[in-house]
Amino acid sequence: MKKSNFLTLLLTALFLFSSCTSHSNIPESPDHSKFIYRMADGSSLDCDTAMGMPIKINLVSGKTTPVCIDPLCMHDDADCPFYECFGCVADGTVIFFRRGWISRTEGGFEGSEKLCTYNAATGEVRVLEEYTDSIVYAGIHDNVLYYYTAEFSSENDTWICSYQLHMADGISGKITDLPLEKEYTTEGGFTSNSDYPNILSIDDERIYWMEYSGISEASYYQTDRMAQNKQMLAGSQTAGGIYHGGYAYSVTGVSELIDPNAGRTPENMLNTYALHRTSLADQTKETIAEGLATPNFIITDRYIFTMEGVSMESKGSTAYLQGCRVSRMNHDGSNLTVIAETEEYDFMYGEFSTNEILIDYYEDEENTYLALAFCVTDEDGKIKKSSDTLILNTATAGFIVSEYN
């Protein structure tokens, strides 16, 4: 990773006197690849509609800054490249986002959407393509975005969407049109009810797809990274909340009586969770961990991390976790070990809801940094999600809170 040098500092000083539209060649520092991204209000990036300024959080230093690096920019007019941006997704060093609108009128659809990128390694913002067709994200991996464009047409007094699949390289800016097996369409002018294939998971070599063949029946297959050489996978259904490395991971809850002779009261129930993984290739399902105290987990390139509360409290109708205990296991569930614990922070609670707390990560050659969403108490005494991020250095077991710069 490149460090800032004298030329970078000089360019940055000169940049203070330039407008928000002129920062396409200003490199970022320090260590861009240690950044994760959220929206300015602390929420996760939203691939659909959420509008606002993305922020980047350095998981090593905890420093948080807007992705627009012009300190004089107010971000409130079209001169800012992130003005009214929406549909933000990120991977590696690149954020993909959109600007513009496709509007439905009595006479049809009008307007356009621009597909844009922000490169944290260089600070460059660019428009890759402008479409008069609606953009639908399909998947992202290794700075590459897969997406559909939905072309609207009118047939027999109803609107029809037909689809084209594309692949955009966030580093080079190259867009490649990819083949689809057939023409996928949907009626009514709404992209959300189409039968086009959904990407479940992408690794360095393969894309795993799901396609509905009926009202509720799904088929699964894999292709190469160019969406070619299609191979059907065994089975007809794969249940999973998180897909990683060719597996679908899911959690189930187990409730047992503490005293078999007593009734099923909350005080007499022991609730634990089991973590399963299902191979997308042959549909083989295995239970890799049992007796977990939490449904919250995140999968990194090296490990699975889980997070449980040290205790649970209720405030009015809201339940929340006091403190956290973070554990780590291998991808096969082996070597489950507690690596960090704190009672200083509160967290949201959602039964059977994964990734509400462990929201992102960065791994280098030696260490893993985890990003956690935590709660604060507002002026009215209500628990709400903080706009800041709690960061865990798993090597030192130390926690820090992101600091807006």
Side-chain angles (χ1 to χ4, degrees), residues 53 69 93 132 180 196 202 236 309 356 360 365:
M53 174 66 65
I69 59 176
T93 62
T132 56
L180 288 173
Y196 58 73
I202 309 173
S236 60
E356 286 191 346
D360 214 334
E365 293 78 6

Side-chain angles (χ1 to χ4, degrees), residues 91-354:
D91 186 80
T93 62
V94 173
I95 295 179
F96 290 87
F97 63 96
R98 287 134 67 189
R99 290 183 65 180
W101 296 99
I102 303 291
S103 302
R104 185 173 183 170
T105 66
E106 291 183 0
F109 291 83
E110 60 183 31
S112 64
E113 288 186 357
K114 296 177 181 179
L115 180 65
C116 311
T117 60
Y118 162 79
N119 190 324
T122 63
E124 181 180 19
V125 179
R126 68 168 86 175
V127 177
L128 300 188
E129 188 65 76
E130 183 172 4
Y131 294 101
T132 56
D133 304 325
S134 183
I135 297 172
V136 183
Y137 294 150
I140 187 170
H141 178 74
D142 194 24
N143 297 308
V144 174
L145 175 72
Y146 293 83
Y147 64 100
Y148 296 99
T149 49
E151 180 181 0
F152 298 102
S153 61
S154 179
E155 296 181 13
N156 300 322
D157 296 327
T158 186
W159 289 102
I160 304 294
C161 299
S162 58
Y163 299 89
Q164 170 66 52
L165 179 64
H166 313 271
M167 180 179 71
D169 188 316
I171 301 299
S172 68
K174 179 182 179 181
I175 292 177
T176 304
D177 295 339
L178 299 176
L180 288 173
E181 185 180 71
K182 61 181 181 180
E183 183 177 357
Y184 296 92
T185 62
T186 186
E187 296 183 2
F190 298 100
T191 59
S192 59
N193 61 353
S194 175
D195 60 353
Y196 58 73
N198 294 305
I199 289 180
L200 297 178
S201 178
I202 309 173
D203 59 30
D204 291 338
E205 298 178 356
R206 296 172 298 276
I207 307 174
Y208 295 94
W209 304 81
M210 179 188 73
E211 180 178 5
Y212 283 103
S213 53
I215 296 178
S216 59
E217 295 182 358
S219 58
Y220 299 84
Y221 58 93
Q222 65 180 6
T223 65
D224 59 27
R225 287 288 301 273
M226 298 300 294
Q228 300 184 33
N229 301 317
K230 179 178 179 179
Q231 295 178 323
M232 297 299 297
L233 301 176
S236 60
Q237 203 166 46
T238 299
I242 296 180
Y243 298 89
H244 183 87
Y247 289 94
Y249 290 83
S250 58
V251 172
T252 57
V254 180
S255 296
E256 298 177 313
L257 293 174
I258 299 174
D259 182 357
N261 299 318
R264 297 180 64 87
T265 61
E267 297 77 18
N268 193 40
M269 299 301 298
L270 176 63
N271 298 315
T272 60
Y273 304 89
L275 179 61
H276 318 278
R277 70 175 184 179
T278 302
S279 169
L280 294 175
D282 60 17
Q283 299 293 293
T284 300
K285 184 177 181 179
E286 58 180 329
T287 300
I288 60 174
E290 294 181 285
L292 300 177
T294 175
N296 296 290
F297 70 97
I298 192 170
I299 304 172
T300 74
D301 292 338
R302 289 199 293 254
Y303 300 109
I304 300 174
F305 291 89
T306 67
M307 180 274 180
E308 62 183 285
V310 175
S311 61
M312 183 182 295
E313 296 290 335
S314 295
K315 200 163 195 176
S317 60
T318 303
Y320 63 97
L321 304 176
Q322 287 190 315
C324 72
R325 184 178 296 113
V326 180
S327 300
R328 181 180 64 201
M329 69 180 85
N330 296 323
H331 284 167
D332 62 1
S334 63
N335 197 28
L336 178 62
T337 307
V338 176
I339 60 169
E341 184 173 324
T342 179
E343 298 184 9
E344 188 175 348
Y345 306 96
D346 296 329
F347 301 86
M348 69 195 77
Y349 173 72
E351 191 171 12
F352 304 116
S353 298
T354 58

